[in-house]
Amino acid sequence: MEDQVNLCVPPNSSRVQGTSSRRWPTLFWVTLKILSVFHHEDLVNERKCYTCRLKDLSERERVIEDAVEHELGLNCLLLMYESVSKRRKGDGEGSNNRQQPCEVCDTMWWNFQGKTEKYTAKQIGATSWNHKGSGALSCCVLFLTIAALLFEMSYHVSAFWAKPEKTPRLLNRFTLFILLVTPSLICVCSKLRSMLRSAVPCLSWASTFNARFIIRRGQILDLPRKGLPGKVFLVACMMWPLFNSVYRSYIYLHLIGCGFGLHVVATAVVAILFMQTWGFFVYILYFIRMSFQRNMNLLLSFIKEHEGQLDKCKGILACVAIDFSCYSQLCELYALVMIPVGVLALTTNITWEFMLGATCISEDLQSAKILYYVKLMSWSEIAMAFFLTVSALGGLQVTYIWDDLSVNILHLTSERHYHFWKGLSIAVSSLTRESNSVLTAVVFSLIGIYTGFHFGSDQNVSYLSESCISQNYTFLCT
């Protein structure tokens, strides 16, 4: 198992000069392209630990940008993903040349075996996908897709607004829109973080969906040889959203007979595209989690091998901690949004079924058939959102990964280097932070439960009975 401690392969600082094939799977780059995460032209840039970064700042002329980064402390390690590389003549991309190699900096190039293996964007196959103008193209695609979804949302809101009998369905559609638009909004925040950098420290979590961050995570997973991790989960992230979106289109275009008008077809296409985007987004969350679990194993091996060298171990611990904190904050924020939204979708769906039970629709075979397919679609979408999200994060939070690291460090503690292990334990504890996201999510979930049942308690469902009598099913087309 990848999440278990493996001290059999100790990482070392030996550099791997070349491999037979370093190209990463094409599907990985397709995923990043679909999510529109490309922004910087150079995806593999210079990497330095915190100590070397401070030395570099002290050796050259201080500009305003450097001074700001210095004031941010360890957060300057995150700004590394947002910086514009300052190449010198003769330096290769991602070469990270230094007169005196730093072992902590070398750990930022670890491969699956814990060996320093430097590479360029061309070697891993990124240049074919991240061409000139990719950043501008990604921004345009993100804003166009969000605009299309907002237009679709406004159409449904106008159709359901101020109509008490359609309030549960309005809430249900609203939850679906939030589910689909969240990945694009996160990617937009990532673009803002890359553009404004230290001016928006509140968006530090958005660096998780910086292409440089994802590539650094991918280097630890041995992609050239093993391919993408969790292939079964990847198939689920691709096929389940595709099934739901195609199934939804089939119901509305064929069973209900809403017609093949421009808006209906456009809605079906938008649903398919956004569902697939959401599936790839969830897989990237899983992809990064697998990388961190492997990274923690390598980190434990490094600490065990360098027992007694506190400064060196604290240096690499800080590099891993700041990245994991960034990812953890994103997962907390996403769970904080999705848990209440999922609960609201669940309660409104239950309310909708109780409403249908009070009508004569179930007595008509055609109506009963249509409603059966609609209910199956709704429950499939709710199950997809819960199951794939929880599977990607390994629960409702990912902080257990850091907690496992703390426990494993305690298990490795020996009396021979007592002060070393004590100092390391203090460092591990100081690099974590408490969060009330679960409590907040529970509060919003309770509000969602109340809202769903409250708006469904006094609904006027007479129009459904009238539709049954007149054999008119157009109420399902909106």
Side-chain angles (χ1 to χ4, degrees), residues 231-283:
K231 294 178 177 58
V232 175
F233 185 72
L234 174 59
V235 172
C237 289
M238 294 174 61
M239 300 308 298
W240 201 346
L242 180 63
F243 167 78
N244 284 337
S245 55
V246 172
Y247 185 49
R248 173 181 286 270
S249 301
Y250 170 76
I251 291 175
Y252 283 86
L253 295 177
H254 179 70
L255 288 182
I256 300 178
C258 293
F260 287 85
L262 178 61
H263 179 263
V264 176
V265 175
T267 300
V269 173
V270 168
I272 293 175
L273 293 178
F274 272 90
M275 278 286 189
Q276 288 302 109
T277 301
W278 180 84
F280 283 119
F281 169 81
V282 171
Y283 177 75

Side-chain angles (χ1 to χ4, degrees), residues 20 80 86 130 181 237 291 377 389 403 426 429-430 459 470:
S20 57
M80 169 185 65
K86 303 171 183 177
N130 185 48
V181 79
C237 289
S291 173
M377 175 191 67
T389 300
D403 294 337
I426 294 175
S429 301
S430 63
Q459 294 300 300
S470 62

Side-chain angles (χ1 to χ4, degrees), residues 117-343:
E117 181 179 359
K118 297 184 179 181
Y119 52 86
T120 65
K122 184 177 181 180
Q123 289 173 333
I124 60 178
T127 52
S128 302
W129 299 92
N130 185 48
H131 47 77
K132 284 188 176 181
S134 290
L137 179 62
S138 297
C139 291
C140 292
V141 170
L142 284 174
F143 284 111
L144 287 176
T145 52
I146 291 176
L149 193 60
L150 290 178
F151 172 79
E152 186 67 21
M153 181 177 177
S154 64
Y155 173 82
H156 288 282
V157 168
S158 62
F160 295 154
W161 192 257
K163 297 180 180 179
E165 71 276 4
K166 295 185 178 182
T167 301
R169 296 180 60 213
L170 173 62
L171 294 175
N172 197 273
R173 291 293 176 88
F174 184 68
T175 58
L176 179 61
F177 283 125
I178 293 179
L179 173 74
L180 298 182
V181 79
T182 300
S184 297
L185 291 178
I186 290 176
C187 290
V188 168
C189 291
S190 178
K191 302 294 182 188
L192 293 176
R193 171 68 171 173
S194 298
M195 295 175 185
L196 302 178
R197 302 183 62 203
S198 57
V200 284
C202 59
L203 293 180
S204 60
W205 53 267
S207 294
T208 304
F209 269 78
N210 185 309
R212 290 172 173 173
F213 185 98
I214 299 174
I215 288 175
R216 186 187 169 192
R217 291 293 101 211
Q219 74 187 31
I220 302 178
L221 294 176
D222 198 11
L223 298 182
R225 188 169 65 90
K226 294 187 175 182
L228 293 173
K231 294 178 177 58
V232 175
F233 185 72
L234 174 59
V235 172
C237 289
M238 294 174 61
M239 300 308 298
W240 201 346
L242 180 63
F243 167 78
N244 284 337
S245 55
V246 172
Y247 185 49
R248 173 181 286 270
S249 301
Y250 170 76
I251 291 175
Y252 283 86
L253 295 177
H254 179 70
L255 288 182
I256 300 178
C258 293
F260 287 85
L262 178 61
H263 179 263
V264 176
V265 175
T267 300
V269 173
V270 168
I272 293 175
L273 293 178
F274 272 90
M275 278 286 189
Q276 288 302 109
T277 301
W278 180 84
F280 283 119
F281 169 81
V282 171
Y283 177 75
I284 290 297
L285 293 180
Y286 170 84
F287 177 90
I288 297 175
R289 178 172 69 88
M290 289 293 101
S291 173
F292 273 116
Q293 288 183 333
R294 179 61 186 173
N295 203 164
M296 297 304 176
N297 293 340
L298 297 176
L299 177 58
L300 286 171
S301 300
F302 182 91
I303 292 174
K304 183 63 177 178
E305 183 182 0
H306 296 81
E307 185 178 3
Q309 304 178 36
L310 183 59
D311 291 339
K312 184 179 295 185
C313 292
K314 286 174 65 176
I316 180 178
L317 190 64
C319 293
V320 177
I322 195 66
D323 281 4
F324 182 75
S325 176
C326 176
Y327 171 65
S328 177
Q329 290 179 49
L330 171 65
C331 293
E332 288 178 5
L333 180 63
Y334 186 68
L336 184 61
V337 173
M338 294 311 303
I339 293 176
V341 167
V343 171

